[in-house]
Amino acid sequence: MIEYRIHGRGGQGSVAAAYLLAAAAFEAGFTCQAFPAFGAERRGAPVMAFVRIDEKPITLRSQVRNPDFLIVQDETLLLDPTLTNGLKPGGAMLVNSRKASAEIAAKFDTRVVAFPATDLAVKVIGKPIPNTALLAAFLALTEHVPQAALAAALKGRFHGAMLEKNLALIAEAAGAVEAGAWKETADA
Amino acid sequence: MREALEGSLAIARAVALTKPDVVAAYPITPQTHIVENISKLVADGDMHTEFVSVESEFSAASVVLGAAAAGARAYTASASQGILLMSEVMFNIAGLRVPLVMTIANRAVGGPLSIWNDQSDSMAVRDAGWIQLHCISNQEAVDTTIQAFRIAQETDLPVAVCMDGFVLTHTMEVIDIPSQDEVDAFLPPFEFAGALDTANPRSMGTLVDPNYFPEVRHSHHAAMGKALAKIEEIDEAFAEVIGRASGGLLTVDGPKKAKVGIIAMGSVVGTMMAGREHYGGEVGEARIVKLRSYRPFPAKALRAAVKGLDKVIVIDRAISPGMGGVLGTEVSAVLSTLDKAPKVFNYALGLGGRDIPETMYRDLLTTIEAKDAPRFAVFDADLEKLPPEDR
């Protein structure tokens, strides 16, 4: 089982990202589970969402306490001292940021890739919603799920022009990071 | 078809497959997505149902009571304070022996206000006279929802399908939604012999004087007893048509030689199974009893399920202040007639949405090995958070 935790702020599509990642995993033949950290949702407030994927049925229902990977949609959340709580040794963190990866990595005891997903989203879809670009970059890094499965999951959620723009966005995002850099998963 | 779906959407689609004539509901967290999705299916023309938007849960329950009494297949859904507001009508629905189906998206009951999951709401209407079935996954919730319509009309009893709020309702997972043909083959059109009929006028819900009231209650209780076999039979019939069962009254999972058992209802059962997989080697493999039918209470099946056990941990997702656990108390009562009854340890867990990690399995099994292990506790309460006089 691989476990992911997505951190973001209300309005950035963290729950949607979790559902998309799970749906993509399903398209690729895995079983999956995705859910938000349930709270009173407010735009701008810190939010978390969780994803598990596995080859067998998933019965565990708790929050993801020991993620293999973190996806951080908002770099201001790097200031939260609990952000990396429970992250497995050998794990990694993808951060939506214009900063250099090494600059962020210096402050954390894990592998970090920084990727300017909001900038790319503004450029390609005209909206500052980083989730689909981040997911594409994340899947390019981990190769847990093929990009085609993410595209299939997007087709279940978006239609028309918004779908076309998002497909263009994920293609560009996937090509902008080192493919397979995080291919090996963290220690279970 | 297998799909990755949010639990609430899957329930809405399952309800649509049963072709209800009337749905009435008032939105409340965490039930909202269920009725939103039903409303959308109706608005899009994918569901030919009279959707009645009401101004309160009291009205929602009243509308489905009236609809079913008039011979319509009827459905509603609620949670928490909504269930409490419905409760007067719920007693009437069951007491008048009107078959209909409701989803309870289990949530804590205030005060203090909590929107998060436990099972205080369904427990509060335990004695309303409804069949109550609990689900450990969204697949079971979908399948049980479809089964519930057949159980209701074959028993003339209302059925509440309980699914943990958020933990199931807001979780996307892989769910197989049966086809319309499969559901049609399993679920006959709605029939209610007691329905009101203008060609043959009679009264429903009239004043019942002391000459008849105990007989009414006796027959209701007896009908619940007979429903035990129906619940099993209908689960088997579902498996024949659709290829999977939901666990009848209860299911027993784990080693025959186990000395410790865990009895629980709802999604926590899955977490206990995951915990056993991880910590079974360390603290032992418990037998896990997944209780699906809470009302009627399957006393006989429970006695058989604990055979050979020395100790049983009963997990309650609710509390009766001043008594302790509700399920635990009932399990103790039922097992007391056994010659060699296992010792019952009753722990309330995850009240008001407190996350239940898989380490809980290890903590529970370790705790009951101590000589002074409490027989009841709000197990995951951190007493350090309370002033000494409140501990």
Side-chain angles (χ1 to χ4, degrees), chain A residues 100-115:
Chain A
S101 301
E103 189 185 339
I104 298 170
K107 292 176 189 151
F108 292 93
D109 186 20
T110 188
R111 293 176 292 171
V112 174
V113 166
F115 176 70

Side-chain angles (χ1 to χ4, degrees), chain A residues 1 3 15 18-24 26-27 29-41 56-65 157, chain B residues 2-4 6 33 115-116 136-138 165-174 267-271 273-275 277-278 353 355-359:
Chain A
M1 183 159 69
E3 296 181 292
V15 180
Y19 285 170
L20 277 169
L21 178 52
F26 169 70
E27 295 289 342
F30 293 99
T31 62
C32 60
Q33 185 191 72
F35 56 101
F38 318 115
E41 296 82 0
K56 50 186 183 145
I58 299 163
T59 67
L60 179 62
R61 298 280 172 190
S62 69
Q63 297 186 355
V64 169
R65 293 173 177 232
R157 198 172 182 98
Chain B
R2 276 164 56 86
E3 293 173 68
E6 188 206 28
H33 292 184
I115 59 165
W116 292 277
I136 77 161
S137 66
N138 280 313
F166 291 117
V167 179
L168 293 182
T169 55
H170 287 53
T171 291
M172 172 187 274
E173 54 189 337
V174 182
S267 63
V268 68
V269 172
T271 298
M273 286 173 169
E277 207 176 309
H278 266 116
D355 189 44
I356 302 173
E358 61 183 331
T359 49

Side-chain angles (χ1 to χ4, degrees), chain B residues 93-107:
Chain B
I93 290 168
L96 301 180
R97 302 290 307 278
V98 173
L100 56 87
V101 173
M102 166 158 74
T103 301
I104 298 180
N106 284 113
R107 164 182 152 181

Side-chain angles (χ1 to χ4, degrees), chain B residues 77-244:
Chain B
S78 195
S80 187
Q81 319 299 128
I83 295 292
L84 298 192
L85 191 53
M86 274 186 181
S87 63
E88 180 184 338
V89 189
M90 286 184 70
F91 276 77
N92 274 312
I93 290 168
L96 301 180
R97 302 290 307 278
V98 173
L100 56 87
V101 173
M102 166 158 74
T103 301
I104 298 180
N106 284 113
R107 164 182 152 181
V109 168
L113 179 63
S114 167
I115 59 165
W116 292 277
N117 163 245
D118 66 29
Q119 295 168 355
S120 305
D121 48 6
S122 56
M123 209 46 101
V125 289
R126 176 192 69 172
D127 301 331
W130 287 52
I131 290 174
Q132 257 192 38
L133 304 175
H134 285 260
C135 309
I136 77 161
S137 66
N138 280 313
Q139 185 68 64
E140 275 194 18
V142 162
D143 296 348
T144 300
T145 298
I146 296 165
Q147 291 185 27
F149 284 92
R150 182 157 155 191
I151 295 168
Q153 71 191 60
E154 289 192 19
T155 59
D156 287 350
L157 287 164
V159 182
V161 179
C162 304
M163 62 189 295
D164 287 316
F166 291 117
V167 179
L168 293 182
T169 55
H170 287 53
T171 291
M172 172 187 274
E173 54 189 337
V174 182
I175 304 169
D176 178 52
I177 303 284
S179 70
Q180 187 66 63
D181 286 347
E182 286 173 320
V183 174
D184 289 347
F186 164 77
L187 180 66
F190 186 67
E191 255 185 62
F192 175 31
L196 297 171
D197 177 4
T198 48
N200 183 20
R202 58 183 192 87
S203 177
M204 183 186 274
T206 186
L207 184 73
V208 173
D209 71 24
N211 280 320
Y212 291 101
F213 202 85
E215 288 74 24
V216 172
R217 282 292 177 263
H218 172 88
S219 69
H220 190 163
H221 180 59
M224 281 293 235
K226 286 178 199 155
L228 286 164
K230 275 284 174 205
I231 292 165
E232 284 193 299
E233 188 188 308
I234 289 170
D235 193 32
E236 284 162 21
F238 185 88
E240 266 173 44
V241 178
I242 286 151
R244 72 184 161 256

Side-chain angles (χ1 to χ4, degrees), chain B residues 361-372:
Chain B
Y361 173 86
R362 183 188 63 196
D363 296 347
L364 288 168
L365 265 74
T366 308
T367 296
I368 62 160
E369 291 311 315
K371 245 191 184 151
D372 56 349

Side-chain angles (χ1 to χ4, degrees), chain A residues 2-27:
Chain A
I2 311 176
E3 296 181 292
Y4 312 87
R5 198 166 66 210
I6 301 172
H7 294 260
R9 291 188 178 276
Q12 292 179 319
S14 301
V15 180
Y19 285 170
L20 277 169
L21 178 52
F26 169 70
E27 295 289 342

